[in-house]
Amino acid sequence: MRSRAALPGFSSILFLLFLPPVFSSSSRPQWVLQRVPVVLAQQTEARSAPHFLSPARLDVSSPCDPECHKKALRPSYWDLRRLLAYETLNSDGQLTETAVAIYGYDPQTSPAYSSGSSGKAQRSHVRRKRQIFGHDGRFSISGQNYLLKYPFSVAVKLSTGCSGTLVGDRHVLTAAHCVHDGKNYVKGAQKLRVGFLKTKHRDTQASSFYLPSNFTNHVEGGHVPYAPPTNDKMKFQWIRAKRTHVPKGWIKGNANDIGMDYDYALLELKKPHKRRHMKLGVSPPAQRLPGRRVHFSGFDNDRSGKLVYRFCQAGEETSDLLYQHCDAQPGASGSGVYARMWDGRRRRWERKVIGVFSGHQWVERQGASQEFNVAVRVTPLKYAQICYWIKGNFVDCREG
């Protein structure tokens, strides 16, 4: 047990050890703003009320690996309009479907990322996996000084068991499978609630301990300093969701029989959450990410009531998916995958959500098993759609 007297000296050493990295102005990894297409709502029609019978699946998996996705036919303009059409579930149980039009987008010139090994994926049996790769590299974040501080404060818990990320004053980005199984809305989706960690009780006798004020920048750099146990007691404060948007690209069959390309959804809360949210960004190629690294925080089921942070290097990628080996457990799905880079226009470092953690893939490729954890990338089209859901207009969504 560390003595209280030893803590100040230890924290001073930490401050020296974990100074933020220094980049020259030319070598800083930067967000590149780009003109994005317009995804505009057209006619909206009422649909039959959902049944809300099946429980949410927290461990969605798919047998289609990177090569399988890369060999898929590129969707046409009309395919994209069908895939980006969306359903809206209201808290009163009413369901609508909205058709969309797309402007300023040419499917033939859209980027198709291809990296890594080649080989044919065999769509064979799928096994459940613990989603931990070797040593468990996750970190439980505790203490209100960190849990209530950005960027950890943007992580929220859904009443269906998943995680989500604050991306607007009253908007939460999550995975579609957290509210819809591919055939129908899951049990609890109509009365969906979003949980925010709040302070329940603080032991005033707890010892104080100083860590650098930019601690979150240090962990994003790959190092996590020692922090003693905290006596902070936390609880969830819940806010009801007013409506839920799900793209039709997800609603086309059983979630385990389709790709994860459209496994995202946006929730609108009944009232503002009054916290700082994280901006949405178009997912850059993995090689442009600092250290090729991605980050996300969520509420993994094996650490009940704890917020769990992790980071890892991004692996292979397709135009819609980002493969990585970040350790995760059911409950973390729906977490916002983010990166931190330099915003040249605002002259500051900025974190942006560039994907949604979806789930696990295990496949057999040429007789050898391969495993991945998968995030759905925020492509220019998805950015345009999600931004439209948040802003209610396309004018504020032209740059991502």
Side-chain angles (χ1 to χ4, degrees), residues 47-59:
R47 290 290 180 260
S48 301
H51 300 299
F52 308 107
L53 297 178
S54 302
R57 289 287 305 272
L58 305 184
D59 57 348

Side-chain angles (χ1 to χ4, degrees), residues 114-396:
S114 178
S115 61
S117 61
S118 62
K120 184 177 180 180
Q122 299 174 5
R123 300 176 72 92
S124 57
H125 62 283
V126 180
R127 67 179 182 183
R128 296 190 184 280
K129 194 64 176 174
R130 55 193 175 91
Q131 298 175 291
I132 302 297
F133 302 91
H135 172 72
D136 191 341
R138 297 174 298 161
F139 304 96
S140 293
I141 305 299
S142 60
Q144 65 171 337
N145 289 340
Y146 304 122
L147 286 169
L148 303 182
K149 183 178 179 181
Y150 184 86
F152 302 126
S153 58
V154 304
V156 294
K157 184 177 178 66
L158 274 59
S159 56
T160 54
C162 288
S163 299
T165 303
L166 302 177
V167 291
D169 294 337
R170 59 172 72 207
H171 292 92
V172 176
L173 185 64
T174 188
H177 73 257
C178 297
V179 295
H180 196 290
D181 65 7
K183 291 183 177 179
N184 214 317
Y185 289 87
V186 302
K187 188 175 181 179
Q190 180 180 353
K191 298 181 179 180
L192 188 64
R193 298 180 300 154
V194 174
F196 297 74
L197 276 178
K198 297 279 188 179
T199 305
K200 181 178 182 181
H201 170 73
R202 182 174 176 83
D203 186 349
T204 57
Q205 301 301 314
S207 62
S208 61
F209 181 73
Y210 170 77
L211 280 176
S213 60
N214 53 356
F215 166 73
T216 54
N217 296 345
H218 303 328
V219 293
E220 287 176 353
H223 305 282
V224 179
Y226 166 83
T230 175
N231 290 323
D232 290 352
K233 302 295 183 181
M234 309 298 291
K235 66 176 182 179
F236 285 105
Q237 179 181 26
W238 299 91
I239 299 179
R240 284 283 302 273
K242 181 179 180 180
R243 59 176 58 94
T244 302
H245 301 297
V246 181
K248 293 293 285 185
W250 176 255
I251 306 172
K252 57 180 182 180
N254 186 284
N256 278 350
D257 294 334
I258 63 177
M260 298 177 175
D261 295 16
Y262 293 88
D263 188 11
Y264 61 93
L266 188 79
L267 318 179
E268 181 183 344
L269 304 178
K270 286 196 169 183
K271 63 180 181 179
H273 52 72
K274 299 181 181 179
R275 287 190 181 186
R276 180 181 175 185
H277 64 268
M278 192 173 291
K279 292 182 179 179
L280 198 66
V282 174
S283 175
Q287 64 265 26
R288 281 188 34 223
L289 297 172
R292 202 184 172 94
R293 188 178 293 136
V294 293
H295 315 255
F296 62 96
S297 301
F299 295 91
D300 302 47
N301 284 356
D302 64 333
R303 301 189 184 184
S304 179
K306 297 286 187 181
L307 179 64
V308 183
Y309 163 79
R310 79 234 63 202
F311 64 89
C312 68
Q313 284 194 336
E316 294 190 79
E317 58 187 334
T318 69
S319 56
D320 286 284
L321 300 176
L322 183 65
Y323 298 82
Q324 30 76 20
H325 287 150
C326 285
D327 293 323
Q329 288 282 1
S333 55
S335 301
V337 176
Y338 68 89
R340 178 175 176 266
M341 296 198 290
W342 182 255
D343 186 328
R345 178 179 295 181
R346 294 178 174 84
R347 308 299 299 170
R348 67 186 184 190
W349 293 95
E350 187 88 66
R351 297 175 183 87
K352 293 184 181 181
V353 179
I354 60 172
V356 179
F357 178 58
S358 179
H360 186 71
Q361 290 189 351
W362 180 90
V363 298
E364 283 188 359
R365 178 190 285 176
Q366 296 180 334
S369 63
Q370 293 197 4
E371 301 171 75
F372 313 90
N373 275 337
V374 188
V376 178
R377 301 178 64 190
V378 177
T379 63
L381 277 175
K382 292 171 187 172
Y383 176 93
Q385 180 181 59
I386 297 169
C387 182
Y388 180 84
W389 287 340
I390 296 172
K391 304 289 188 181
N393 67 80
F394 72 88
V395 177
D396 296 328

Side-chain angles (χ1 to χ4, degrees), residues 83-104:
L83 294 167
L84 292 172
Y86 59 92
E87 289 188 354
T88 300
L89 175 65
N90 295 286
S91 58
D92 61 3
Q94 293 186 10
L95 180 68
T96 61
E97 180 177 329
T98 302
V100 301
I102 301 172
Y103 303 97

